[in-house]
Structures are given as C-alpha cells and as structure tokens.
Amino acid sequence: MTLSTQKRRLHDMVFEALATDIITGALALDTRLPIDSALGNRFEVSRTVIREAIQALASAGLVDVRHGAGTYVNGSASWDLLDTRLLEMLGNTGTIDFLINDLLDVRRMFEVEAAGLAAERATAADIAALEVVVERMRDPKTTGDEYLELNLEFHSLIVQASHNRILTGLRHQMRGVLSVMMNARQRQADEEMRIVSTAMHQMLLDSIREGRADRAQAVMLAHVQGAERSLQRTPES
Amino acid sequence: MTLSTQKRRLHDMVFEALATDIITGALALDTRLPIDSALGNRFEVSRTVIREAIQALASAGLVDVRHGAGTYVNGSASWDLLDTRLLEMLGNTGTIDFLINDLLDVRRMFEVEAAGLAAERATAADIAALEVVVERMRDPKTTGDEYLELNLEFHSLIVQASHNRILTGLRHQMRGVLSVMMNARQRQADEEMRIVSTAMHQMLLDSIREGRADRAQAVMLAHVQGAERSLQRTPES
DNA sequence: CGATATTTGTACGTATGTATT
DNA sequence: TAATACATACGTACAAATATC
C-alpha cells in the first residue's frame, strides 16, 4: 500500500498503488477509501495529488466518488475495460486473457465493416497507401517484426479508408486493448502463415480497388477468422 | 472571447469560450494560444483553472499542447468526435448533421453484431428483461416518448446480452453521439411505423430466445435499415 | 555550442463552497 | 444544526522541455 520506486508523477504512483489493491481484491467491493487527507498522510503527498489519483480511479470505473459521502470501491462489473491505465495494470498483473474472446469478436465486426465501407469509398490516395504496405509485405527482406507492424498499419489504413469518423474514433479507443493484447501474446509469424496472410491482404486490396464491397467483406472475414485460429481461441461458453 | 453567464465551473466556461472560438474558426488552425498567465488575466481566473480548461481542450483534440513550446489549435481532422463535451458544443452550434451517416453505419454494424452474439449467449435473465420491454412496447397505452425510451432500452439490453465487455464499453463511448443525434433530430414515431417496429422487436426477441443467430442478425439488419430510411438518410459520396 | 528566457508540467498549502450524514 | 467529506479555486514554487540569443 506504500509507494514503490520513484519513477513518475506522484499521482500516477498513488493511482497504481490503489488500483493494484482494488484489482487484486485487497480492497474489497464497497470498501470505503480513507478520506483524502488520510491518504495524503499515508502516501506523504498533498491532497491535490490524492484527488488526481482518485479522479483517475473514478474515470477507470474502479471507484465511485460520492460528494460528501465518501469514495467506494467498485466491483469489476463497473470497470471500464477501454481505459488505458486500467488495461496497463491488468496487463502487468497478467490478468488480461479473459478479454481475448471479446476482443476477437469486436475486431471481426470492425474489420469486416471497415473493409466494406473502404471498398465503397476509398480514394486513390487511400489505395496508394495500401499498395505501399502490401508491397513491403511481399518483400522477402521484411523481418517478422516488421511484418507485424505492417499488418497493423494495413488494417489501420483500411479503417481510415472507410472515411467514417465515428468508426475511426472507436478504433482509436480500442488501441489500448489491442496493444496490451499484443504484448500479452506475442504473435508468432511463421513463414507458411505469412505467405497465406500476404495473399489475403493482396486480395483485400484488389477488392477495395475494384469497389467490390461484398467480396472485401468476405475476404476480411476469412482473414480475421484465420487470425482467430492462430490465436488459439478458447471455446465459447 | 469573454466569459458569458456565470452558470458552472470556471474551467468549464473557459473551455466553452475557447472551444467555441476554435469550432467557429475564430481561432484558426495552428494558431498559438496565449500563454497560461495571459489567459488567466483575460478571463480573470487562476492558472489552475486555465490549465484544467486547456487539458479538456487537448483531450477533445481541439488543441495540441507542447511542453515548453506552447499550445496550438488543431484542425477538425484531429477532433475527437466521441468526446462528450465537444459533441455538446457541436450540438449546440447546430453543426452536427455531418455525423448522421457515419453514425448510422456504425450503429448498423453494432446492432447486427450484438444481435448475433445475443442469440448465442443470452441468459434467461437477459431474455426476461427483453420480454418486459417488448410487452410494454405492445401496450397501446404507451406514449410516443415512452416508446422511444423503450426502443433505446431494448437495444441497450441486446448489447448487454451479447456478454461482450469490449462491445459494451464501445457502446458506452457512443452514448454521447447517440444522445446529441437524438436531440438534433427529434424522431417522429407515427402510428404505422410503430406497429412495424414492434413486430420487428418481437421477431428479434424470438430469434434470440431460440438461439438463431443468423436470423437475429437478418432481422436486426432490416430493422436498422428501416430506421435509416426514416431518418431520411442523405445519399453517400 | 552554450547560456538564458520562455512556456508548460507537477506539486504544495490554503480557503471556501456544497452535498451528505 | 453541526460535523464530515468531497469540489472548486487561488497563489506560489520549482522542475522540465523548448526556443532564442
């Protein structure tokens, strides 16, 4: 419950200390946090710092702040699983796998829709950018790590090519989940899979260039379903 | 550029004053904002207040804060169209219609996917909650406003029944857009449409209860496409 | 290149307001 | 009514990043 190493801002450290206790269950559901001044004494920081930390906890849904009444610990049902700081902590404590299936569902939904819209709306510039990426994917000199980067960029470009600003906004909200997931399971890009994957990307690009939305969606669906298998998706329900 | 009526927190008023100037173009792209202390003098508030306002502006993507270098106005391409406070301002200035088509695309994607997942995973409790809502929709004593409320609740319950926490998180992020949209275009629920709509909801519920994901998705697709027509969707591209 | 000034970032302590108990 | 606890705002000090001379 005390601050660990002096690494960053004070309120970040307070946040992490309290968040850890909540995530691990050391601070149980509906427990009332000590009042600001008490926490200030414990961590030996000003009340300003405590308030910023608590604000971050509330923003992540970890606590519920009630004016005049106190601050209470929320159950995991209230957590905001898109909150970057919370995701980081869940990633660090290795308790993030429970989100894999959820993420795959949403990713499929996202990518397929974006592929369809991109086929309908992609501009010449969008297509040119996609072509550059696919060209580099085909290059045998591209390393495995680079390939993963290109893969991410390709899909990001497709979302952009959908020219739907809410879609891109939501995609941006998902960046935290995606990145934590990536770190949790470092993807193995073996040679065979890479060849198949590159062919898929090429087909996707062709479909978009030709404006064939149905085909783009079908190819994307096959593509992400392939990725799901490679992530050894655990069976549902 | 000065503070209007004393209604809320000081930093909210500063935020609104600056945001208005950015949205209307009075503060042009790449313009450098006055330094904190100058803004403090102009608005006659402390630097604390200015900093909180600028933090909110940065969080909405309206400005780019560079440590030691100054704070610069962003173009609309950088705005975060999911930011609640920004959306409110766009709604108030009546410049929100450009998002209608984007929202409809995303809504279709969302609802269809959620319907499919719900059909696969809905628990007895989920279905019971949906039944209550549909029953009240069928009740002829339900008023038009109540019907709209029930409609929203029905779709919210379906997302919950998908038991996908990322999906529900993203849906939550969309609440701001949805609500601003609703206010911008007050939906007319005429009698004829209401009968069709209720039948759709009943079919959806049946599909979910029977676990028929494909049918649930098809019905939902037809349903939201009907809603799109009623919103007089403007042609694309 | 280095020294200095500018500007944002973080933190403190205090005072007062407001909602709840 | 009073006590408690969170909310907002002020002014100050110093640190860190950047710009300028």
Side-chain angles (χ1 to χ4, degrees):
Chain A
M1 200 73 157
T2 52
L3 299 184
S4 50
T5 54
Q6 285 279 347
K7 46 176 174 179
R8 282 196 299 170
R9 292 117 94 206
L10 289 177
H11 69 256
D12 276 331
M13 298 192 290
V14 174
F15 170 86
E16 284 166 23
L18 292 172
T20 302
D21 286 346
I22 293 171
I23 290 169
T24 61
L27 279 172
L29 175 64
D30 283 335
T31 304
R32 175 172 169 178
L33 290 191
I35 64 173
D36 294 2
S37 59
L39 284 172
N41 290 336
R42 176 187 309 173
F43 290 117
E44 294 180 327
V45 296
S46 73
R47 191 176 158 238
T48 312
V49 170
I50 298 295
R51 288 208 71 259
E52 278 172 301
I54 287 184
Q55 212 169 356
L57 290 171
S59 162
L62 292 173
V63 300
D64 186 16
V65 183
R66 301 175 204 155
H67 191 159
T71 301
Y72 296 84
V73 174
N74 278 338
S76 61
S78 306
W79 297 355
D80 175 9
L81 267 1
L82 293 175
D83 184 278
T84 311
R85 309 178 71 178
L86 173 56
L87 284 168
E88 241 171 70
M89 306 230 47
L90 290 174
N92 290 340
T93 53
T95 53
I96 194 75
D97 277 3
F98 74 102
L99 274 181
I100 281 265
N101 285 351
D102 284 8
L103 181 64
L104 291 175
D105 286 334
V106 174
R107 200 173 87 105
R108 170 165 39 78
M109 169 186 84
F110 240 83
E111 307 285 11
V112 171
E113 177 74 13
L117 292 177
E120 291 171 357
R121 305 178 187 168
T123 65
D126 293 328
I127 292 172
L130 285 166
E131 280 168 347
V132 170
V133 173
V134 170
E135 202 48 51
R136 290 182 52 203
M137 290 176 111
R138 306 180 75 136
D139 188 338
K141 291 194 298 297
T142 299
T143 67
D145 283 351
E146 286 169 347
Y147 192 86
L148 289 181
E149 283 287 334
L150 290 170
N151 199 345
L152 276 180
E153 192 179 343
F154 183 86
H155 289 274
S156 169
L157 286 173
I158 285 189
V159 176
Q160 280 181 39
S162 76
H163 292 279
N164 183 311
R165 303 201 49 181
I166 298 182
L167 202 64
T168 55
L170 289 173
R171 173 74 183 207
H172 192 256
Q173 294 287 327
M174 288 180 60
R175 281 200 59 198
V177 205
L178 287 168
S179 111
V180 170
M181 272 343 194
M182 286 288 188
N183 289 349
R185 313 203 152 192
Q186 31 227 31
R187 315 246 319 264
Q188 67 295 358
D190 59 82
E191 275 313 306
E192 187 182 9
M193 175 179 147
R194 175 166 161 176
I195 291 168
V196 176
S197 170
T198 303
M200 280 279 199
H201 284 89
Q202 182 66 57
M203 288 171 66
L204 210 35
L205 172 54
D206 292 342
S207 306
I208 289 173
R209 188 190 291 113
E210 295 163 16
R212 297 166 66 179
D214 288 354
R215 185 158 177 270
Q217 289 191 330
V219 174
M220 180 62 96
L221 182 58
H223 176 51
V224 296
Q225 284 177 340
E228 288 179 13
R229 281 192 298 278
S230 88
L231 280 170
Q232 299 165 341
R233 177 174 199 153
T234 60
E236 320 232 349
S237 72
Chain B
M1 201 72 158
T2 51
L3 297 185
S4 51
T5 54
Q6 285 279 347
K7 46 178 175 178
R8 283 195 299 168
R9 292 117 96 206
L10 289 177
H11 69 258
D12 277 331
M13 298 193 291
V14 174
F15 170 86
E16 285 166 22
L18 293 173
T20 302
D21 286 346
I22 293 171
I23 290 170
T24 61
L27 279 171
L29 175 64
D30 282 336
T31 305
R32 175 174 168 174
L33 289 190
I35 64 174
D36 293 2
S37 59
L39 285 173
N41 289 336
R42 174 185 311 174
F43 291 116
E44 296 182 326
V45 296
S46 73
R47 188 175 162 232
T48 312
V49 170
I50 297 295
R51 289 208 74 257
E52 277 173 300
I54 287 184
Q55 211 168 356
L57 291 171
S59 162
L62 292 173
V63 301
D64 187 16
V65 183
R66 301 176 204 154
H67 190 163
T71 301
Y72 296 83
V73 174
N74 278 338
S76 62
S78 306
W79 298 355
D80 175 9
L81 266 2
L82 293 174
D83 184 278
T84 310
R85 308 178 73 179
L86 173 56
L87 283 168
E88 242 172 70
M89 306 229 48
L90 291 175
N92 291 340
T93 53
T95 54
I96 193 77
D97 277 4
F98 74 102
L99 273 180
I100 282 265
N101 284 352
D102 284 8
L103 181 65
L104 291 175
D105 286 335
V106 174
R107 200 173 88 105
R108 169 165 39 79
M109 168 186 87
F110 240 83
E111 306 285 10
V112 171
E113 176 75 12
L117 293 176
E120 291 171 356
R121 305 176 188 168
T123 65
D126 294 328
I127 290 171
L130 285 166
E131 279 167 348
V132 170
V133 173
V134 170
E135 202 50 50
R136 289 182 53 204
M137 290 176 112
R138 307 180 74 138
D139 187 340
K141 290 194 300 295
T142 298
T143 68
D145 283 351
E146 285 169 346
Y147 192 86
L148 290 181
E149 283 288 332
L150 290 169
N151 199 344
L152 276 180
E153 191 179 344
F154 184 86
H155 289 273
S156 169
L157 285 173
I158 285 189
V159 175
Q160 280 180 41
S162 77
H163 292 280
N164 182 311
R165 303 201 49 181
I166 297 180
L167 201 63
T168 56
L170 289 173
R171 172 75 183 207
H172 192 256
Q173 295 285 328
M174 289 180 59
R175 280 199 59 198
V177 205
L178 287 167
S179 112
V180 171
M181 274 339 194
M182 285 288 188
N183 290 348
R185 317 201 149 192
Q186 30 228 32
R187 314 248 319 263
Q188 68 295 358
D190 60 81
E191 276 312 306
E192 187 182 11
M193 176 179 147
R194 175 165 160 177
I195 291 168
V196 175
S197 170
T198 303
M200 280 278 199
H201 284 88
Q202 182 67 56
M203 288 170 66
L204 209 35
L205 173 54
D206 291 341
S207 306
I208 290 172
R209 188 191 290 112
E210 295 163 14
R212 295 165 67 180
D214 288 354
R215 184 158 177 271
Q217 289 191 330
V219 174
M220 180 62 97
L221 182 58
H223 175 52
V224 297
Q225 285 176 339
E228 288 179 13
R229 278 192 300 278
S230 88
L231 280 170
Q232 298 162 342
R233 177 173 199 153
T234 60
E236 320 234 350
S237 77

